[in-house]
Amino acid sequence: ATVIGLASAVIDNVPLVAATMGMYDTTLYPMDDELWQLIAYCAGTGGSILIIGSAAGVAFMGMEKANFGWYFEKISGPALAGYLAGVGTYLGVHYGGAML
């Protein structure tokens, strides 16, 4: 799921998640499984790591005349840190007891 989120920074998250749905057996991982929650978080949030990874980022580029280099230098690092912190928190909350 984490790799899907990182890929979402470059590839639109809708077809990415649709492709992911075919990768997992829904009898093993029903649609309300924690795996799908994590995939949704990763795909939705991972798109913000790069400005081109989300519709909001592309709109921001157009409205504020921000360029890719500026966003990458100033925003991508904190966005990646927040993304990884969110994944870590999710895993800690849902699987923390199992990891001990």
Side-chain angles (χ1 to χ4, degrees), residues 16-73:
L16 191 62
V17 171
T20 303
M21 291 173 74
M23 295 168 62
Y24 296 98
D25 183 5
T26 54
T27 57
L28 255 92
Y29 301 102
M31 286 302 179
D32 61 347
D33 189 80
E34 292 172 347
L35 171 68
W36 296 109
Q37 294 172 9
L38 183 59
I39 289 172
Y41 168 79
C42 289
T45 308
S48 296
I49 296 170
L50 296 177
I51 197 167
I52 61 171
S54 68
V58 174
F60 176 73
M61 283 177 71
M63 292 171 56
E64 299 298 324
K65 308 297 184 235
N67 65 38
F68 182 86
W70 176 87
Y71 188 94
F72 186 77
E73 182 181 325

